[in-house]
């Protein structure tokens, strides 16, 4: 199944992060610059995403 833009990405922000809008914009820009993909970044609080032993499992597919 093809992915239709924008790609939805969840990103945990660090403790003490205050400029969430700036962070979201920076992450979206990095993804656009490095991967040539338009992303809609959703920032979630620290420890909101599950932890896995293998790094590859950090990517979660949501439908």
């Amino acid at each position: 199944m093809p992915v239709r833009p924008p790609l939805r990405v969840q990103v945990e922000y660090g403790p003490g992060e205050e400029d969430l809008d700036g962070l979201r914009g920076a992450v979206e820009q990095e993804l656009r610059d490095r991967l040539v993909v338009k992303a809609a970044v959703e920032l979630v609080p620290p420890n909101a995403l599950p932890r896995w032993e293998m790094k590859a499992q950090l990517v979660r597919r949501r439908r």
Side-chain angles (χ1 to χ4, degrees):
M1 168 186 279
V3 175
R4 295 180 187 200
L7 176 67
R8 293 185 329 227
V9 178
Q10 288 183 319
V11 176
E12 285 185 4
Y13 55 85
E17 184 65 47
E18 295 180 8
D19 183 13
L20 297 181
D21 289 332
L23 177 61
R24 179 183 298 108
V27 172
E28 288 174 348
Q29 187 64 49
E30 278 295 313
L31 290 169
R32 191 174 310 119
D33 292 348
R34 293 178 182 255
L35 302 177
V36 191
V37 64
K38 182 174 171 101
V41 172
E42 176 189 355
L43 297 177
V44 297
N47 302 313
L49 299 176
R51 298 291 178 244
W52 305 93
E53 292 180 22
M54 298 175 59
K55 193 171 187 176
Q57 291 177 328
L58 291 176
V59 176
R60 253 190 337 178
R61 186 173 183 174
R62 292 177 45 190
R63 292 182 186 232

